Amino acid sequence: MADSISASSQFGAVAYLRWRLFVNAFRRKEGAAEMAARLIVYPVGLLFLLGPMAGAGFGSYAAIDNQRPDLMAVVFWAIFVLQILVSVNLSPAAQSFDPETLIRFPLSFPRYLTIRLFLGLLSPSTIAGSCSLFTAALGASIAQPALAPIVFPAAFALALNNMFFVRMIFAWIDRWLSTRRARELFTGVVILFGIGIQYLNVTFNNIGHRSSRAAQAAKVAAAGRYYHRFEPVFKVLPPGLAGDAVLKQSHHATWMAVGEIGGILGFAVLFLGIFAARMRREYAGENLSEARVTPRKAVAARAGTVKVGARTEEENHFGLSPFIAASLQKESIYLRRNISQFYGFLAPLAMVLIFAGRTGSFGRTGFIFPSAVAYSFLGIAALAYNVLGVDASGIQSYLLAPIRMRDVFLAKNLLGFGLSAIQLGLVYAVVVFTSGRPPLLLTIATILWLLFATFTNAAIGNIYGRLRRRRRWIRTR
């Protein structure tokens, strides 16, 4: 059935669908605002795009003009890293339909794979990377026209490689993060990576202490030594191969340069094959749902365990009622599985640990402790009000469960106040370890301020949030 329909008609149908979705977005009630937003965002995005393009063009021109064609690898690596960072920070515009729904239509797998590839062709990362590669090739060609027959094909091959690599990585990340356990592990890795980058930045730049020019030069030399240590690995990867192709062409080794470009295309084919393997599973109807069918024996065993432990239920919850204890357990699970809340709880502690020992005379006065407590309080302030925000549509479950809302709110507040107490103790331990013990009077004043701020935030935070939403609603009328 799929073979009886021409590929041009199917591709045209998908293109027409995307066009109608784009046009119909301006016919909604908020169409005028959507148009105004796009008229503002697109020129601003173009301005941001001109920066990397100009940098790549002038960088490649300077490298060739100064007889340093080996630096073209640095330019290509910078563009590759730029494309990865743009892919992470700027996701493509939200699509009004799920591309996976295309498998319900008489569409062959090669055509489905082609459509999935071209749906992300105009993503910000692909545009930024491809345009920067073009200006890099243009700058090198202007500096030395004899490089044009090699630098433009190398840039084109690297653009294909980067596009396939980004699509492959994010397709498999969606697969790996389809389970809750993987998302929790990934969250931990992201948190550790972000904190590690901050630590390296503070340590390498010696923030909080003055450094001489000789010390800075020594750090630059050390960074150069690390780069040369990993340079053999960088040279066999696609950006390194592209830079080496330009270097070979500058030494009139054209066939060796062509072989380097073939190596880039080989990497591109490899990344495309891995992406196609992921799309093949998706085309076959792979279900990434976390739902699992629990066997009846396991359900019966679990029910029996609950009955046996029901007699000592109140004794195992530190004097709290079973309803409050169950709500506390649910809130702790919310905290552990909510990326923003978990990061908001841990990141301030890590920042205090990194910066507390680098404050000089300010840290020795003891005022670093109240400053650190105030900073760390911002991470968990949102937990004290709008306590039903993390429940989202699950709020209706409270109305069906045999539990009083007073117990629910009590458990939520207990968790928030408990986190404040835990964070206060951890901040105090960090400050004592890095800057010394703060004065006793200042410590007592800080604890009293934290109590006041916590109760005030819990009392009026939700009212303030409601008033702010009401004001936003009035402006939209």
Side-chain angles (χ1 to χ4, degrees), residues 39-120:
L39 291 177
I40 295 174
V41 171
Y42 286 166
V44 172
L46 181 61
L47 292 176
F48 279 104
L49 177 61
L50 292 178
M53 291 176 61
F58 285 110
S60 60
Y61 177 85
I64 301 302
D65 189 59
N66 293 326
Q67 305 299 321
R68 292 294 306 275
D70 56 303
L71 294 180
M72 286 297 297
V74 178
V75 176
F76 289 137
W77 269 109
I79 296 173
F80 176 77
V81 173
L82 169 70
Q83 189 162 348
I84 297 298
L85 292 178
V86 173
S87 301
V88 173
N89 293 280
L90 292 179
S91 300
Q95 299 175 353
S96 301
F97 77 101
D98 187 1
E100 295 184 12
T101 59
L102 294 175
I103 63 177
R104 299 183 300 174
F105 298 94
L107 195 68
S108 63
F109 174 70
R111 298 178 186 179
Y112 176 74
L113 177 63
T114 304
I115 292 174
R116 290 303 302 267
L117 280 174
F118 280 91
L119 282 178

Side-chain angles (χ1 to χ4, degrees), residues 50 274 375:
L50 292 178
I274 299 176
Y375 172 71

Side-chain angles (χ1 to χ4, degrees), residues 5-268:
I5 305 175
S6 63
S8 59
S9 61
Q10 290 183 332
F11 294 155
V14 175
Y16 180 75
L17 172 63
R18 294 297 304 273
W19 170 251
R20 293 312 308 173
L21 290 173
F22 176 78
V23 172
N24 292 340
F26 301 107
R27 294 184 177 181
R28 298 178 299 180
K29 184 178 180 180
E30 303 85 5
E34 182 76 16
M35 176 65 75
R38 290 178 183 268
L39 291 177
I40 295 174
V41 171
Y42 286 166
V44 172
L46 181 61
L47 292 176
F48 279 104
L49 177 61
L50 292 178
M53 291 176 61
F58 285 110
S60 60
Y61 177 85
I64 301 302
D65 189 59
N66 293 326
Q67 305 299 321
R68 292 294 306 275
D70 56 303
L71 294 180
M72 286 297 297
V74 178
V75 176
F76 289 137
W77 269 109
I79 296 173
F80 176 77
V81 173
L82 169 70
Q83 189 162 348
I84 297 298
L85 292 178
V86 173
S87 301
V88 173
N89 293 280
L90 292 179
S91 300
Q95 299 175 353
S96 301
F97 77 101
D98 187 1
E100 295 184 12
T101 59
L102 294 175
I103 63 177
R104 299 183 300 174
F105 298 94
L107 195 68
S108 63
F109 174 70
R111 298 178 186 179
Y112 176 74
L113 177 63
T114 304
I115 292 174
R116 290 303 302 267
L117 280 174
F118 280 91
L119 282 178
L121 187 61
L122 296 180
S123 62
S125 62
T126 303
I127 295 175
S130 301
C131 292
S132 299
L133 286 171
F134 174 77
T135 55
L138 184 62
S141 300
I142 293 175
Q144 188 174 340
L147 297 177
I150 288 296
V151 68
F152 276 104
F156 177 75
L158 188 58
L160 287 178
N161 172 85
N162 294 350
M163 182 183 68
F164 293 154
F165 178 79
V166 171
R167 300 306 306 278
M168 175 201 71
I169 287 295
F170 282 93
W172 280 97
I173 284 179
D174 290 339
R175 173 65 184 89
W176 295 331
L177 299 184
S178 61
T179 61
R180 188 190 72 247
R181 186 69 62 184
R183 288 194 296 270
E184 293 175 358
L185 180 61
F186 181 75
T187 301
V189 172
V190 169
I191 292 175
L192 292 177
F193 178 78
I195 295 174
I197 290 296
Q198 293 292 336
Y199 176 77
L200 292 177
N201 176 44
V202 171
T203 304
F204 184 79
N205 294 318
N206 203 17
I207 295 177
H209 303 281
R210 294 183 178 180
S211 57
S212 61
R213 293 184 177 180
Q216 295 177 355
K219 292 178 181 178
V220 173
R225 288 194 297 270
Y226 279 111
Y227 172 77
H228 289 299
R229 183 178 300 177
F230 292 99
E231 188 176 8
V233 179
F234 294 153
K235 292 184 70 172
V236 299
L237 297 177
L241 291 175
D244 200 48
V246 178
L247 180 62
K248 292 291 194 302
Q249 178 65 14
S250 66
H251 294 160
H252 305 289
T254 304
W255 288 111
M256 296 182 67
V258 171
E260 303 276 2
I261 296 176
I264 301 173
L265 293 176
F267 273 102

